Amino acid sequence: MKVALLGATKGMGRSLARQMAARGDTVFLLGRDAADLERSACDVEVRAGVPEGRVAHAVCDLERPETFGPALAEAEKAMDGLDAVVVTAGLFATQERLESDAELARRLLTVDFAHTVAFCEQARARLLARGGGTLCVFSSVAGERGRKPVILYGAAKAGLTRYLEGLDHKFRSAGLRTICVKPGFVTTGMTEGLKPPPFAGEPDAVAARVLTAIDRGKPVVYAPAMWALIMLVIRSLPRFVMRRIGF
Ligand SMILES: NC(=O)c1ccc[n+]([C@@H]2O[C@H](COP(=O)([O-])OP(=O)(O)OC[C@H]3O[C@@H](n4cnc5c(N)ncnc54)[C@H](OP(=O)(O)O)[C@@H]3O)[C@@H](O)[C@H]2O)c1
């Protein structure tokens, strides 16, 4: 499989890039910092036992939509094709911080929703032009319900989840497999400083689960799996209970 990954310099994206390369997929890294991408490409090559110089990369910044087209075109050209696009890139900040910093809130809503969708639209068009493929995007369980600790971040992820659902409904029959990943709490740089719940996940285990979902074309995947059950309960709670609890 020829895969372009946006956000593979850290966290779950890095784990996915390593695992994909290790099993023989051709990976192309997209990210916002050229030096970071170079280091990440070397890391993937060494850990996956891929020959030096085989993992290519291009700058693609979710705050700069003008980078989307050229970055995807470079990936397609370098790999002589494109079978899948994976988006793990995203921004997080606590609700308290976002409430006191309107500019950060605007940036987060733009990166996690509007620009992620704009990027996916370009990826979708390229994949469909080749007869289909896989578009796998990381949303969040935070988008399942309006929740006090993640009002703004959750709103962006809720919009993203609905967009991905619509894509899957419309384009699956045309060959585009859209996969919406809904991680629960996973210990990465994004959650540094936050108290992990007892059912927190690790990036490598999440990546392995996502890889299976990609191979099977599963439209929605909760990771760790336990979060499917947790969110089933949360979705069923009446509004007056949600007002009382801090979850
Ligand atoms: N960790 C969790 O508990 C959790 C839970 C639910 C959902 N998620 C979602 O899962 C995804 C992966 O999360 P993670 O925990 O692996 O995050 P992470 O370790 O913080 O990695 C995030 C990645 O996004 C990239 N990124 C940030 N802003 C970008 C921009 N403007 N343009 C391009 N790339 C950008 C980062 O690149 P730099 O290296 O340049 O910063 C980094 O590679 C995210 O969408 C996140 O919202 C995470």
Side-chain angles (χ1 to χ4, degrees), residues 6-13 31-33 36 60-63 88-91 111-112 138-141 153 157 183-191:
L6 174 57
T9 54
K10 294 199 179 102
M12 292 180 265
R32 59 181 163 178
D33 183 86
D36 214 6
C60 183
D61 185 339
L62 279 176
E63 297 201 59
T88 53
L91 261 188
V111 165
D112 287 352
F138 279 52
S139 183
S140 173
V141 296
Y153 172 76
K157 292 296 194 180
F185 191 105
V186 181
T187 48
T188 65
M190 190 171 274
T191 50

PDB file of all heavy atoms in Angstrom, residues 6-13 31-33 36 60-63 88-91 111-112 138-141 153 157 183-191, ligand 1:
ATOM      1  N   LEU A   6      -0.285  12.444   7.357  1.00  0.00           N
ATOM      2  CA  LEU A   6      -0.141  13.812   7.877  1.00  0.00           C
ATOM      3  C   LEU A   6      -0.222  13.767   9.400  1.00  0.00           C
ATOM      4  O   LEU A   6      -1.256  13.399   9.973  1.00  0.00           O
ATOM      5  CB  LEU A   6      -1.262  14.705   7.309  1.00  0.00           C
ATOM      6  CG  LEU A   6      -1.337  16.145   7.859  1.00  0.00           C
ATOM      7  CD1 LEU A   6      -0.024  16.900   7.655  1.00  0.00           C
ATOM      8  CD2 LEU A   6      -2.476  16.920   7.195  1.00  0.00           C
ATOM      9  N   GLY A   7       0.912  14.118  10.046  1.00  0.00           N
ATOM     10  CA  GLY A   7       0.946  14.111  11.515  1.00  0.00           C
ATOM     11  C   GLY A   7       1.749  12.948  12.069  1.00  0.00           C
ATOM     12  O   GLY A   7       1.557  12.552  13.219  1.00  0.00           O
ATOM     13  N   ALA A   8       2.656  12.414  11.247  1.00  0.00           N
ATOM     14  CA  ALA A   8       3.386  11.202  11.658  1.00  0.00           C
ATOM     15  C   ALA A   8       4.678  11.509  12.407  1.00  0.00           C
ATOM     16  O   ALA A   8       5.473  10.615  12.660  1.00  0.00           O
ATOM     17  CB  ALA A   8       3.672  10.346  10.438  1.00  0.00           C
ATOM     18  N   THR A   9       4.895  12.775  12.768  1.00  0.00           N
ATOM     19  CA  THR A   9       6.138  13.095  13.479  1.00  0.00           C
ATOM     20  C   THR A   9       6.033  12.795  14.967  1.00  0.00           C
ATOM     21  O   THR A   9       7.043  12.782  15.669  1.00  0.00           O
ATOM     22  CB  THR A   9       6.511  14.587  13.303  1.00  0.00           C
ATOM     23  OG1 THR A   9       5.383  15.382  13.714  1.00  0.00           O
ATOM     24  CG2 THR A   9       6.864  14.917  11.865  1.00  0.00           C
ATOM     25  N   LYS A  10       4.813  12.586  15.451  1.00  0.00           N
ATOM     26  CA  LYS A  10       4.631  12.360  16.891  1.00  0.00           C
ATOM     27  C   LYS A  10       3.486  11.380  17.147  1.00  0.00           C
ATOM     28  O   LYS A  10       2.701  11.072  16.251  1.00  0.00           O
ATOM     29  CB  LYS A  10       4.276  13.680  17.584  1.00  0.00           C
ATOM     30  CG  LYS A  10       5.387  14.701  17.572  1.00  0.00           C
ATOM     31  CD  LYS A  10       5.160  15.766  18.641  1.00  0.00           C
ATOM     32  CE  LYS A  10       6.288  16.772  18.639  1.00  0.00           C
ATOM     33  NZ  LYS A  10       5.936  18.031  17.977  1.00  0.00           N
ATOM     34  N   GLY A  11       3.396  10.958  18.406  1.00  0.00           N
ATOM     35  CA  GLY A  11       2.231  10.240  18.923  1.00  0.00           C
ATOM     36  C   GLY A  11       1.754   9.056  18.102  1.00  0.00           C
ATOM     37  O   GLY A  11       2.536   8.223  17.639  1.00  0.00           O
ATOM     38  N   MET A  12       0.418   8.980  17.939  1.00  0.00           N
ATOM     39  CA  MET A  12      -0.182   7.831  17.261  1.00  0.00           C
ATOM     40  C   MET A  12       0.198   7.773  15.779  1.00  0.00           C
ATOM     41  O   MET A  12       0.347   6.689  15.211  1.00  0.00           O
ATOM     42  CB  MET A  12      -1.700   7.872  17.432  1.00  0.00           C
ATOM     43  CG  MET A  12      -2.117   7.629  18.874  1.00  0.00           C
ATOM     44  SD  MET A  12      -3.894   7.680  19.105  1.00  0.00           S
ATOM     45  CE  MET A  12      -4.151   9.368  19.620  1.00  0.00           C
ATOM     46  N   GLY A  13       0.384   8.931  15.143  1.00  0.00           N
ATOM     47  CA  GLY A  13       0.785   8.975  13.737  1.00  0.00           C
ATOM     48  C   GLY A  13       2.165   8.362  13.550  1.00  0.00           C
ATOM     49  O   GLY A  13       2.408   7.621  12.589  1.00  0.00           O
ATOM     50  N   GLY A  31       4.080  16.915   7.139  1.00  0.00           N
ATOM     51  CA  GLY A  31       4.077  17.602   8.433  1.00  0.00           C
ATOM     52  C   GLY A  31       4.497  19.043   8.253  1.00  0.00           C
ATOM     53  O   GLY A  31       4.844  19.461   7.152  1.00  0.00           O
ATOM     54  N   ARG A  32       4.476  19.793   9.357  1.00  0.00           N
ATOM     55  CA  ARG A  32       4.682  21.241   9.173  1.00  0.00           C
ATOM     56  C   ARG A  32       6.134  21.695   9.276  1.00  0.00           C
ATOM     57  O   ARG A  32       6.445  22.830   8.936  1.00  0.00           O
ATOM     58  CB  ARG A  32       3.826  22.016  10.165  1.00  0.00           C
ATOM     59  CG  ARG A  32       4.092  21.702  11.607  1.00  0.00           C
ATOM     60  CD  ARG A  32       3.175  22.512  12.484  1.00  0.00           C
ATOM     61  NE  ARG A  32       3.130  21.950  13.822  1.00  0.00           N
ATOM     62  CZ  ARG A  32       2.442  22.470  14.800  1.00  0.00           C
ATOM     63  NH1 ARG A  32       1.735  23.552  14.596  1.00  0.00           N
ATOM     64  NH2 ARG A  32       2.459  21.922  15.994  1.00  0.00           N
ATOM     65  N   ASP A  33       7.031  20.819   9.765  1.00  0.00           N
ATOM     66  CA  ASP A  33       8.404  21.255   9.961  1.00  0.00           C
ATOM     67  C   ASP A  33       9.366  20.327   9.198  1.00  0.00           C
ATOM     68  O   ASP A  33       9.413  19.131   9.457  1.00  0.00           O
ATOM     69  CB  ASP A  33       8.733  21.237  11.468  1.00  0.00           C
ATOM     70  CG  ASP A  33      10.127  21.751  11.740  1.00  0.00           C
ATOM     71  OD1 ASP A  33      10.284  22.975  11.859  1.00  0.00           O
ATOM     72  OD2 ASP A  33      11.064  20.916  11.816  1.00  0.00           O
ATOM     73  N   ASP A  36      12.000  18.362  11.265  1.00  0.00           N
ATOM     74  CA  ASP A  36      11.305  17.334  12.045  1.00  0.00           C
ATOM     75  C   ASP A  36      10.929  16.147  11.144  1.00  0.00           C
ATOM     76  O   ASP A  36      11.046  14.977  11.533  1.00  0.00           O
ATOM     77  CB  ASP A  36      10.032  17.968  12.626  1.00  0.00           C
ATOM     78  CG  ASP A  36       9.700  17.413  13.990  1.00  0.00           C
ATOM     79  OD1 ASP A  36      10.508  16.633  14.517  1.00  0.00           O
ATOM     80  OD2 ASP A  36       8.616  17.756  14.520  1.00  0.00           O
ATOM     81  N   CYS A  60       3.530  20.085   4.891  1.00  0.00           N
ATOM     82  CA  CYS A  60       2.081  20.281   4.772  1.00  0.00           C
ATOM     83  C   CYS A  60       1.606  20.764   6.138  1.00  0.00           C
ATOM     84  O   CYS A  60       1.740  20.053   7.138  1.00  0.00           O
ATOM     85  CB  CYS A  60       1.419  18.952   4.402  1.00  0.00           C
ATOM     86  SG  CYS A  60      -0.356  19.098   4.156  1.00  0.00           S
ATOM     87  N   ASP A  61       1.110  21.983   6.173  1.00  0.00           N
ATOM     88  CA  ASP A  61       0.755  22.606   7.454  1.00  0.00           C
ATOM     89  C   ASP A  61      -0.756  22.858   7.473  1.00  0.00           C
ATOM     90  O   ASP A  61      -1.272  23.572   6.614  1.00  0.00           O
ATOM     91  CB  ASP A  61       1.534  23.924   7.585  1.00  0.00           C
ATOM     92  CG  ASP A  61       1.335  24.590   8.937  1.00  0.00           C
ATOM     93  OD1 ASP A  61       0.331  24.298   9.620  1.00  0.00           O
ATOM     94  OD2 ASP A  61       2.183  25.431   9.301  1.00  0.00           O
ATOM     95  N   LEU A  62      -1.438  22.305   8.446  1.00  0.00           N
ATOM     96  CA  LEU A  62      -2.904  22.476   8.518  1.00  0.00           C
ATOM     97  C   LEU A  62      -3.318  23.929   8.771  1.00  0.00           C
ATOM     98  O   LEU A  62      -4.496  24.255   8.684  1.00  0.00           O
ATOM     99  CB  LEU A  62      -3.497  21.558   9.582  1.00  0.00           C
ATOM    100  CG  LEU A  62      -3.728  20.104   9.151  1.00  0.00           C
ATOM    101  CD1 LEU A  62      -4.238  19.263  10.316  1.00  0.00           C
ATOM    102  CD2 LEU A  62      -4.702  20.000   7.974  1.00  0.00           C
ATOM    103  N   GLU A  63      -2.354  24.791   9.084  1.00  0.00           N
ATOM    104  CA  GLU A  63      -2.695  26.219   9.201  1.00  0.00           C
ATOM    105  C   GLU A  63      -2.448  26.942   7.883  1.00  0.00           C
ATOM    106  O   GLU A  63      -2.729  28.134   7.769  1.00  0.00           O
ATOM    107  CB  GLU A  63      -1.890  26.859  10.336  1.00  0.00           C
ATOM    108  CG  GLU A  63      -2.249  26.240  11.679  1.00  0.00           C
ATOM    109  CD  GLU A  63      -1.926  27.090  12.878  1.00  0.00           C
ATOM    110  OE1 GLU A  63      -2.441  28.219  12.969  1.00  0.00           O
ATOM    111  OE2 GLU A  63      -1.153  26.611  13.720  1.00  0.00           O
ATOM    112  N   THR A  88      -3.480  12.137  11.181  1.00  0.00           N
ATOM    113  CA  THR A  88      -3.475  12.098  12.648  1.00  0.00           C
ATOM    114  C   THR A  88      -3.174  13.478  13.213  1.00  0.00           C
ATOM    115  O   THR A  88      -3.260  13.679  14.419  1.00  0.00           O
ATOM    116  CB  THR A  88      -2.411  11.106  13.184  1.00  0.00           C
ATOM    117  OG1 THR A  88      -1.162  11.443  12.597  1.00  0.00           O
ATOM    118  CG2 THR A  88      -2.767   9.675  12.855  1.00  0.00           C
ATOM    119  N   ALA A  89      -2.800  14.424  12.349  1.00  0.00           N
ATOM    120  CA  ALA A  89      -2.448  15.767  12.814  1.00  0.00           C
ATOM    121  C   ALA A  89      -3.646  16.428  13.494  1.00  0.00           C
ATOM    122  O   ALA A  89      -4.782  16.263  13.062  1.00  0.00           O
ATOM    123  CB  ALA A  89      -1.988  16.619  11.637  1.00  0.00           C
ATOM    124  N   GLY A  90      -3.368  17.148  14.546  1.00  0.00           N
ATOM    125  CA  GLY A  90      -4.445  17.850  15.238  1.00  0.00           C
ATOM    126  C   GLY A  90      -3.889  18.670  16.383  1.00  0.00           C
ATOM    127  O   GLY A  90      -2.732  18.501  16.788  1.00  0.00           O
ATOM    128  N   LEU A  91      -4.713  19.585  16.865  1.00  0.00           N
ATOM    129  CA  LEU A  91      -4.327  20.465  17.979  1.00  0.00           C
ATOM    130  C   LEU A  91      -5.222  20.168  19.166  1.00  0.00           C
ATOM    131  O   LEU A  91      -6.407  19.897  18.997  1.00  0.00           O
ATOM    132  CB  LEU A  91      -4.607  21.915  17.589  1.00  0.00           C
ATOM    133  CG  LEU A  91      -3.503  22.825  17.073  1.00  0.00           C
ATOM    134  CD1 LEU A  91      -4.063  24.245  16.958  1.00  0.00           C
ATOM    135  CD2 LEU A  91      -2.278  22.793  17.949  1.00  0.00           C
ATOM    136  N   VAL A 111      -7.904  24.409  12.572  1.00  0.00           N
ATOM    137  CA  VAL A 111      -7.036  23.262  12.270  1.00  0.00           C
ATOM    138  C   VAL A 111      -7.815  21.951  12.378  1.00  0.00           C
ATOM    139  O   VAL A 111      -7.781  21.114  11.471  1.00  0.00           O
ATOM    140  CB  VAL A 111      -5.808  23.243  13.228  1.00  0.00           C
ATOM    141  CG1 VAL A 111      -5.094  21.889  13.186  1.00  0.00           C
ATOM    142  CG2 VAL A 111      -4.833  24.353  12.857  1.00  0.00           C
ATOM    143  N   ASP A 112      -8.527  21.772  13.485  1.00  0.00           N
ATOM    144  CA  ASP A 112      -9.168  20.470  13.749  1.00  0.00           C
ATOM    145  C   ASP A 112     -10.439  20.239  12.937  1.00  0.00           C
ATOM    146  O   ASP A 112     -10.835  19.103  12.742  1.00  0.00           O
ATOM    147  CB  ASP A 112      -9.487  20.316  15.249  1.00  0.00           C
ATOM    148  CG  ASP A 112      -8.234  20.081  16.082  1.00  0.00           C
ATOM    149  OD1 ASP A 112      -7.166  19.884  15.491  1.00  0.00           O
ATOM    150  OD2 ASP A 112      -8.327  20.095  17.322  1.00  0.00           O
ATOM    151  N   PHE A 138      -8.209  10.784  12.126  1.00  0.00           N
ATOM    152  CA  PHE A 138      -8.393  10.713  13.573  1.00  0.00           C
ATOM    153  C   PHE A 138      -9.306  11.838  14.052  1.00  0.00           C
ATOM    154  O   PHE A 138      -8.949  13.009  13.999  1.00  0.00           O
ATOM    155  CB  PHE A 138      -7.043  10.794  14.292  1.00  0.00           C
ATOM    156  CG  PHE A 138      -6.309   9.480  14.336  1.00  0.00           C
ATOM    157  CD1 PHE A 138      -6.098   8.753  13.171  1.00  0.00           C
ATOM    158  CD2 PHE A 138      -5.845   8.965  15.525  1.00  0.00           C
ATOM    159  CE1 PHE A 138      -5.429   7.529  13.194  1.00  0.00           C
ATOM    160  CE2 PHE A 138      -5.173   7.745  15.568  1.00  0.00           C
ATOM    161  CZ  PHE A 138      -4.962   7.024  14.406  1.00  0.00           C
ATOM    162  N   SER A 139     -10.500  11.453  14.513  1.00  0.00           N
ATOM    163  CA  SER A 139     -11.383  12.396  15.176  1.00  0.00           C
ATOM    164  C   SER A 139     -11.188  12.171  16.669  1.00  0.00           C
ATOM    165  O   SER A 139     -10.057  12.035  17.133  1.00  0.00           O
ATOM    166  CB  SER A 139     -12.824  12.161  14.727  1.00  0.00           C
ATOM    167  OG  SER A 139     -13.669  13.118  15.303  1.00  0.00           O
ATOM    168  N   SER A 140     -12.264  12.053  17.444  1.00  0.00           N
ATOM    169  CA  SER A 140     -12.106  11.816  18.886  1.00  0.00           C
ATOM    170  C   SER A 140     -13.431  11.425  19.523  1.00  0.00           C
ATOM    171  O   SER A 140     -14.498  11.821  19.031  1.00  0.00           O
ATOM    172  CB  SER A 140     -11.595  13.081  19.564  1.00  0.00           C
ATOM    173  OG  SER A 140     -11.591  12.914  20.968  1.00  0.00           O
ATOM    174  N   VAL A 141     -13.349  10.711  20.648  1.00  0.00           N
ATOM    175  CA  VAL A 141     -14.568  10.456  21.422  1.00  0.00           C
ATOM    176  C   VAL A 141     -15.127  11.772  21.966  1.00  0.00           C
ATOM    177  O   VAL A 141     -16.293  11.849  22.337  1.00  0.00           O
ATOM    178  CB  VAL A 141     -14.337   9.462  22.595  1.00  0.00           C
ATOM    179  CG1 VAL A 141     -13.941   8.097  22.083  1.00  0.00           C
ATOM    180  CG2 VAL A 141     -13.303  10.001  23.581  1.00  0.00           C
ATOM    181  N   TYR A 153     -12.912  21.844  21.643  1.00  0.00           N
ATOM    182  CA  TYR A 153     -12.213  20.753  20.940  1.00  0.00           C
ATOM    183  C   TYR A 153     -13.237  19.707  20.486  1.00  0.00           C
ATOM    184  O   TYR A 153     -13.206  19.237  19.348  1.00  0.00           O
ATOM    185  CB  TYR A 153     -11.173  20.146  21.894  1.00  0.00           C
ATOM    186  CG  TYR A 153     -10.483  18.899  21.411  1.00  0.00           C
ATOM    187  CD1 TYR A 153      -9.471  18.955  20.443  1.00  0.00           C
ATOM    188  CD2 TYR A 153     -10.809  17.645  21.945  1.00  0.00           C
ATOM    189  CE1 TYR A 153      -8.828  17.794  20.020  1.00  0.00           C
ATOM    190  CE2 TYR A 153     -10.170  16.489  21.528  1.00  0.00           C
ATOM    191  CZ  TYR A 153      -9.178  16.571  20.572  1.00  0.00           C
ATOM    192  OH  TYR A 153      -8.541  15.419  20.158  1.00  0.00           O
ATOM    193  N   LYS A 157     -14.256  18.251  16.677  1.00  0.00           N
ATOM    194  CA  LYS A 157     -14.185  16.817  16.357  1.00  0.00           C
ATOM    195  C   LYS A 157     -15.573  16.272  15.991  1.00  0.00           C
ATOM    196  O   LYS A 157     -15.678  15.351  15.174  1.00  0.00           O
ATOM    197  CB  LYS A 157     -13.584  16.046  17.533  1.00  0.00           C
ATOM    198  CG  LYS A 157     -12.099  16.364  17.783  1.00  0.00           C
ATOM    199  CD  LYS A 157     -11.216  15.932  16.624  1.00  0.00           C
ATOM    200  CE  LYS A 157      -9.742  15.920  17.009  1.00  0.00           C
ATOM    201  NZ  LYS A 157      -8.863  15.491  15.901  1.00  0.00           N
ATOM    202  N   PRO A 183     -10.204   7.996  19.077  1.00  0.00           N
ATOM    203  CA  PRO A 183      -9.427   7.585  20.246  1.00  0.00           C
ATOM    204  C   PRO A 183     -10.074   8.112  21.516  1.00  0.00           C
ATOM    205  O   PRO A 183     -10.713   9.167  21.524  1.00  0.00           O
ATOM    206  CB  PRO A 183      -8.059   8.266  20.033  1.00  0.00           C
ATOM    207  CG  PRO A 183      -8.046   8.757  18.627  1.00  0.00           C
ATOM    208  CD  PRO A 183      -9.482   9.002  18.268  1.00  0.00           C
ATOM    209  N   GLY A 184      -9.891   7.334  22.587  1.00  0.00           N
ATOM    210  CA  GLY A 184     -10.209   7.830  23.919  1.00  0.00           C
ATOM    211  C   GLY A 184      -8.949   8.487  24.435  1.00  0.00           C
ATOM    212  O   GLY A 184      -8.199   9.077  23.650  1.00  0.00           O
ATOM    213  N   PHE A 185      -8.660   8.363  25.713  1.00  0.00           N
ATOM    214  CA  PHE A 185      -7.432   8.961  26.240  1.00  0.00           C
ATOM    215  C   PHE A 185      -6.246   8.071  25.853  1.00  0.00           C
ATOM    216  O   PHE A 185      -6.217   6.898  26.174  1.00  0.00           O
ATOM    217  CB  PHE A 185      -7.524   9.082  27.764  1.00  0.00           C
ATOM    218  CG  PHE A 185      -6.433   9.924  28.369  1.00  0.00           C
ATOM    219  CD1 PHE A 185      -6.707  11.213  28.828  1.00  0.00           C
ATOM    220  CD2 PHE A 185      -5.134   9.436  28.490  1.00  0.00           C
ATOM    221  CE1 PHE A 185      -5.697  11.993  29.391  1.00  0.00           C
ATOM    222  CE2 PHE A 185      -4.128  10.207  29.044  1.00  0.00           C
ATOM    223  CZ  PHE A 185      -4.415  11.482  29.500  1.00  0.00           C
ATOM    224  N   VAL A 186      -5.270   8.658  25.166  1.00  0.00           N
ATOM    225  CA  VAL A 186      -4.057   7.923  24.774  1.00  0.00           C
ATOM    226  C   VAL A 186      -2.855   8.748  25.245  1.00  0.00           C
ATOM    227  O   VAL A 186      -2.817   9.967  25.057  1.00  0.00           O
ATOM    228  CB  VAL A 186      -4.010   7.723  23.238  1.00  0.00           C
ATOM    229  CG1 VAL A 186      -2.768   6.936  22.840  1.00  0.00           C
ATOM    230  CG2 VAL A 186      -5.271   6.999  22.754  1.00  0.00           C
ATOM    231  N   THR A 187      -1.883   8.072  25.860  1.00  0.00           N
ATOM    232  CA  THR A 187      -0.736   8.807  26.409  1.00  0.00           C
ATOM    233  C   THR A 187       0.247   9.175  25.297  1.00  0.00           C
ATOM    234  O   THR A 187       1.020   8.341  24.821  1.00  0.00           O
ATOM    235  CB  THR A 187      -0.006   7.978  27.493  1.00  0.00           C
ATOM    236  OG1 THR A 187       0.193   6.659  26.971  1.00  0.00           O
ATOM    237  CG2 THR A 187      -0.822   7.877  28.758  1.00  0.00           C
ATOM    238  N   THR A 188       0.174  10.434  24.888  1.00  0.00           N
ATOM    239  CA  THR A 188       1.077  10.993  23.864  1.00  0.00           C
ATOM    240  C   THR A 188       1.452  12.400  24.339  1.00  0.00           C
ATOM    241  O   THR A 188       0.990  12.844  25.405  1.00  0.00           O
ATOM    242  CB  THR A 188       0.367  11.122  22.505  1.00  0.00           C
ATOM    243  OG1 THR A 188      -0.698  12.099  22.656  1.00  0.00           O
ATOM    244  CG2 THR A 188      -0.232   9.817  22.023  1.00  0.00           C
ATOM    245  N   GLY A 189       2.209  13.114  23.521  1.00  0.00           N
ATOM    246  CA  GLY A 189       2.551  14.491  23.861  1.00  0.00           C
ATOM    247  C   GLY A 189       1.304  15.349  24.050  1.00  0.00           C
ATOM    248  O   GLY A 189       1.281  16.285  24.854  1.00  0.00           O
ATOM    249  N   MET A 190       0.254  14.999  23.323  1.00  0.00           N
ATOM    250  CA  MET A 190      -0.988  15.784  23.383  1.00  0.00           C
ATOM    251  C   MET A 190      -1.624  15.748  24.771  1.00  0.00           C
ATOM    252  O   MET A 190      -2.260  16.711  25.202  1.00  0.00           O
ATOM    253  CB  MET A 190      -1.977  15.235  22.345  1.00  0.00           C
ATOM    254  CG  MET A 190      -3.187  16.103  22.149  1.00  0.00           C
ATOM    255  SD  MET A 190      -4.192  15.577  20.753  1.00  0.00           S
ATOM    256  CE  MET A 190      -3.433  16.411  19.392  1.00  0.00           C
ATOM    257  N   THR A 191      -1.472  14.637  25.471  1.00  0.00           N
ATOM    258  CA  THR A 191      -2.133  14.487  26.775  1.00  0.00           C
ATOM    259  C   THR A 191      -1.141  14.653  27.937  1.00  0.00           C
ATOM    260  O   THR A 191      -1.490  14.380  29.082  1.00  0.00           O
ATOM    261  CB  THR A 191      -2.817  13.110  26.884  1.00  0.00           C
ATOM    262  OG1 THR A 191      -1.882  12.095  26.514  1.00  0.00           O
ATOM    263  CG2 THR A 191      -4.026  13.024  25.982  1.00  0.00           C
TER     264      THR A 191
HETATM  265  N1  LIG B   1      -3.971  11.562  22.606  1.00  0.00           N
HETATM  266  C1  LIG B   1      -5.259  11.445  22.862  1.00  0.00           C
HETATM  267  O1  LIG B   1      -5.663  11.099  24.009  1.00  0.00           O
HETATM  268  C2  LIG B   1      -6.285  11.700  21.796  1.00  0.00           C
HETATM  269  C3  LIG B   1      -7.633  11.448  22.116  1.00  0.00           C
HETATM  270  C4  LIG B   1      -8.605  11.662  21.138  1.00  0.00           C
HETATM  271  C5  LIG B   1      -8.243  12.090  19.870  1.00  0.00           C
HETATM  272  N2  LIG B   1      -6.927  12.339  19.593  1.00  0.00           N
HETATM  273  C6  LIG B   1      -6.630  12.795  18.244  1.00  0.00           C
HETATM  274  O2  LIG B   1      -5.744  11.855  17.635  1.00  0.00           O
HETATM  275  C7  LIG B   1      -4.841  12.537  16.751  1.00  0.00           C
HETATM  276  C8  LIG B   1      -3.409  12.195  17.108  1.00  0.00           C
HETATM  277  O3  LIG B   1      -3.170  12.610  18.445  1.00  0.00           O
HETATM  278  P1  LIG B   1      -1.782  12.373  19.205  1.00  0.00           P
HETATM  279  O4  LIG B   1      -2.130  12.220  20.638  1.00  0.00           O
HETATM  280  O5  LIG B   1      -0.995  11.334  18.504  1.00  0.00           O
HETATM  281  O6  LIG B   1      -1.138  13.821  19.014  1.00  0.00           O
HETATM  282  P2  LIG B   1       0.363  14.379  19.097  1.00  0.00           P
HETATM  283  O7  LIG B   1       1.282  13.366  19.674  1.00  0.00           O
HETATM  284  O8  LIG B   1       0.272  15.727  19.735  1.00  0.00           O
HETATM  285  O9  LIG B   1       0.719  14.560  17.540  1.00  0.00           O
HETATM  286  C9  LIG B   1      -0.013  15.479  16.807  1.00  0.00           C
HETATM  287  C10 LIG B   1       0.596  15.602  15.434  1.00  0.00           C
HETATM  288  O10 LIG B   1      -0.124  16.641  14.759  1.00  0.00           O
HETATM  289  C11 LIG B   1       0.815  17.475  14.133  1.00  0.00           C
HETATM  290  N3  LIG B   1       0.290  18.822  13.910  1.00  0.00           N
HETATM  291  C12 LIG B   1      -0.161  19.711  14.820  1.00  0.00           C
HETATM  292  N4  LIG B   1      -0.515  20.853  14.229  1.00  0.00           N
HETATM  293  C13 LIG B   1      -0.273  20.687  12.912  1.00  0.00           C
HETATM  294  C14 LIG B   1      -0.415  21.517  11.776  1.00  0.00           C
HETATM  295  N5  LIG B   1      -0.858  22.779  11.861  1.00  0.00           N
HETATM  296  N6  LIG B   1      -0.066  21.015  10.565  1.00  0.00           N
HETATM  297  C15 LIG B   1       0.399  19.759  10.447  1.00  0.00           C
HETATM  298  N7  LIG B   1       0.587  18.938  11.482  1.00  0.00           N
HETATM  299  C16 LIG B   1       0.253  19.402  12.703  1.00  0.00           C
HETATM  300  C17 LIG B   1       1.992  17.490  15.092  1.00  0.00           C
HETATM  301  O11 LIG B   1       3.112  17.972  14.407  1.00  0.00           O
HETATM  302  P3  LIG B   1       4.301  18.797  15.152  1.00  0.00           P
HETATM  303  O12 LIG B   1       5.298  17.744  15.461  1.00  0.00           O
HETATM  304  O13 LIG B   1       4.741  19.766  14.125  1.00  0.00           O
HETATM  305  O14 LIG B   1       3.711  19.431  16.367  1.00  0.00           O
HETATM  306  C18 LIG B   1       2.062  16.021  15.458  1.00  0.00           C
HETATM  307  O15 LIG B   1       2.771  15.283  14.493  1.00  0.00           O
HETATM  308  C19 LIG B   1      -5.209  14.018  16.860  1.00  0.00           C
HETATM  309  O16 LIG B   1      -6.089  14.362  15.834  1.00  0.00           O
HETATM  310  C20 LIG B   1      -5.933  14.121  18.194  1.00  0.00           C
HETATM  311  O17 LIG B   1      -6.835  15.203  18.212  1.00  0.00           O
HETATM  312  C21 LIG B   1      -5.953  12.156  20.527  1.00  0.00           C
END
